[in-house]
Amino acid sequence: MSGIGVGLALFAAMLALMVVRVPIAIAMFVPGALGFAYLASPDALFNHLKGFAYARMSVYDLSVIPLFLLMGQFATQGGLSKALFGLANAAIGHFRGGMAMAAVLACAAFGSICGSSVATAATVTQVALPEMRRHNYSGRLATATVAAGGTLGILIPPSVVLVVYGILAEQNIAKLFAAAFIPGFIAAGLYLLAIHIYVRVYPGHGPASERHSNAERLESLKRVWPVGAIFLLVFGGIYGGLFTPTEGAAVGAASTLVTGILNRELDAAGIRACFYGTASTTGMVFMIFLGADILNSALALSQMPMKLAESVANSGLPPLAVIVGILAFYIVLGSVMDELSMILLTIPILMPAVMGLDLYGLDPTSKAIWFGILVLCVVEIGLIAPPVGLNVYVVNGFAPDVPMSETYRGVLPFLAADAVRVALVIAFPGLSLWLVKILT
């Protein structure tokens, strides 16, 4: 069997294992190990297994992942989402659809200190969904809003998925964070526009609520200032040269812990739960790392990435057509895989092909950063698009009275907004590269 044939067989075996609900780390590890043994030898496989786990886990840059995860845990348990939604609702909740817009803004702000889409969706849902339902928002709009808003957690920095991409693509994490800001703000803005248009078409789905007084707004602002302070401390320190992204993650985790304690939202049991949650999620992430590593090692032996890059280079297709095809592949893959697994599995394969393209005359670093932001924008779509839509499942767990089909109908305007954002980032690379040149 040719190398390409082996590579395709490994992919097919991985997908088959996933279909029968084998954990994703094992679904990647088993075909990878068998493929490695077939292409090299069983002895070579065992020799490789002796040191590959240590080689991966001893990488210093990986320490930023548990630190940002811990920061997100402290933010989740520390009640910061409640304060963020309260401020946004006090400011715009009296408009038609305003409470849904407030939920999107709360997701964007919470994502800036959480870094996880699922955690952002789950946390803001517990605060915003009961309020929207109490004010007679339709189940379709209410659940779709928090499901879509949660996707901002993996684009607006700090993003664990973006950190993983930076490690795989060997790119500066601070530059990637800077590149994600404007697309993240565009995403939030387009989601607000989608809600505005939706409630114009269906006025009864998002009625206006009572107007808050200036005193109530001021009180809400007082409760939310720690979030802004943590954001400025972490990212001001990173871009001001005071500390590295890893050190910034540590500072952010410590600051979020102190804030939760001072707000009397975190006690000893809550802090212990945060550490347990971080350890569990970190273990899952690192196991997926190991599974992807052995599978990518087998694919490297098959020479599939190199042959794919050669095929793309000799295809005669316009470079942007290749990029659009890759993004379409991610949308399809998102129906069966989570975002982290997709990044770990595909970036080592697709990156050589992308780096060989002439894209707007970009230098290799700018090209890698721009492509990374594009990938994250598309990965977000998989979190709310049918038939899987992990965020949709998470949110519907808090709203069992809302049929899943209703939530999927509700996310259609947000998917349209995502399509517009992806088109803008493709057409105008400066949207993701302008801040990189200024801040780094």
Side-chain angles (χ1 to χ4, degrees), residues 276-323:
Y276 284 154
T278 300
S280 175
T281 305
T282 301
M284 178 197 69
V285 170
F286 283 10
M287 286 298 293
I288 294 174
F289 255 112
L290 295 179
D293 276 353
I294 194 66
L295 182 56
N296 285 323
S297 296
L299 292 172
L301 285 175
S302 74
Q303 298 186 326
M304 186 177 180
M306 183 183 69
K307 292 183 182 297
L308 179 63
E310 291 176 355
S311 299
V312 169
N314 298 326
S315 66
L317 292 172
L320 284 181
V322 175
I323 294 296

Side-chain angles (χ1 to χ4, degrees), residues 193-413:
L193 179 61
I195 293 170
H196 174 73
I197 295 173
Y198 183 91
V199 295
R200 296 275 293 185
V201 177
Y202 301 103
H205 284 215
S209 63
E210 66 277 5
R211 181 185 293 270
H212 288 73
S213 67
N214 290 333
E216 290 173 320
R217 293 172 182 170
L218 182 60
E219 183 61 30
S220 298
L221 184 60
K222 290 179 181 178
R223 289 195 295 267
V224 86
W225 72 264
V227 178
I230 293 170
F231 184 86
L232 291 175
L233 176 62
V234 173
F235 291 101
I238 290 174
Y239 295 112
L242 296 178
F243 36 73
T244 66
T246 302
E247 294 164 345
V251 170
S255 302
T256 311
L257 169 62
V258 171
T259 299
I261 292 173
L262 293 179
N263 287 342
R264 298 182 179 179
E265 296 282 353
L266 275 177
D267 54 16
I271 294 172
R272 187 165 53 251
C274 289
F275 280 106
Y276 284 154
T278 300
S280 175
T281 305
T282 301
M284 178 197 69
V285 170
F286 283 10
M287 286 298 293
I288 294 174
F289 255 112
L290 295 179
D293 276 353
I294 194 66
L295 182 56
N296 285 323
S297 296
L299 292 172
L301 285 175
S302 74
Q303 298 186 326
M304 186 177 180
M306 183 183 69
K307 292 183 182 297
L308 179 63
E310 291 176 355
S311 299
V312 169
N314 298 326
S315 66
L317 292 172
L320 284 181
V322 175
I323 294 296
V324 171
I326 290 174
L327 298 181
F329 168 71
Y330 272 111
I331 292 175
V332 173
L333 199 60
S335 65
V336 294
M337 294 183 73
D338 65 275
E339 68 275 14
L340 181 60
S341 301
M342 281 193 288
I343 295 294
L344 286 168
L345 179 62
T346 60
I347 292 303
I349 300 171
L350 298 176
M351 204 66 186
V354 172
M355 297 306 289
L357 299 174
D358 181 13
L359 295 161
Y360 299 105
L362 297 174
D363 61 82
T365 298
S366 297
K367 191 188 305 181
I369 291 173
W370 173 69
F371 179 67
I373 300 304
L374 263 179
V375 168
L376 251 70
C377 289
V378 173
V379 162
E380 286 185 33
I381 295 175
L383 290 169
I384 57 174
V388 178
L390 182 59
N391 275 19
V392 173
Y393 279 85
V394 169
V395 171
N396 265 87
F398 295 97
D401 61 312
V402 180
M404 192 78 71
S405 59
E406 277 293 287
T407 304
Y408 276 128
R409 290 177 65 186
V411 301
L412 293 178

Side-chain angles (χ1 to χ4, degrees), residues 9-95:
L10 295 180
F11 266 106
M14 178 196 71
L15 293 175
L17 290 173
M18 291 173 57
V19 167
V20 296
R21 298 185 178 275
V22 173
I24 182 65
I26 299 174
M28 289 191 288
F29 184 90
V30 171
L34 294 176
F36 196 109
Y38 174 80
L39 292 166
S41 69
D43 288 341
L45 170 64
F46 292 130
N47 188 57
H48 179 71
L49 292 177
K50 286 192 301 184
F52 95 106
Y54 176 78
R56 166 56 71 188
M57 298 309 156
S58 62
V59 176
Y60 172 76
D61 289 344
L62 284 179
S63 59
V64 74
I65 294 176
L67 288 171
F68 273 132
L69 288 174
L70 183 60
M71 179 177 170
Q73 287 281 339
F74 286 146
T76 301
Q77 298 285 343
L80 296 182
S81 61
K82 186 188 304 181
L84 289 168
F85 177 72
L87 175 62
N89 187 39
I92 61 174
H94 58 281
F95 295 112

